[in-house]
Amino acid sequence: MSIDQTPSTVLYQVVAKEMNTTEAAVRQATSLEGLGIDSLEMIEIVMAVEDRLGISINDRELHAVSSMPELLALIERSPKKATA
């Protein structure tokens, strides 16, 4: 994994792109609500992060997430997708 593909960097890039804001604004935000992320946007963000990092995020755990640090922690502990 290259330096620019760390879970935090990927998350901040994806959220910034999806929410049409800067990575700096995403890094400063704590709550997902504060960034204006709704459930549909969350699905799109998670799918993009899963694709870029090759991981599989647990949907049940995702529903309990309400902050950027919680989302990052979930991403960091998510298992790699099985390769066929």
Side-chain angles (χ1 to χ4, degrees), residues 42-43 46 57-66 71 74:
M42 179 60 95
I43 291 168
V46 166
I57 297 172
N58 182 302
D59 290 338
R60 263 187 239 136
E61 289 183 61
L62 182 61
H63 289 297
V65 169
S66 63
L71 181 55
L74 176 58

Side-chain angles (χ1 to χ4, degrees), residues 64-76:
V65 169
S66 63
S67 71
M68 289 299 290
E70 289 173 358
L71 181 55
L72 180 57
L74 176 58
I75 289 166
E76 289 174 336

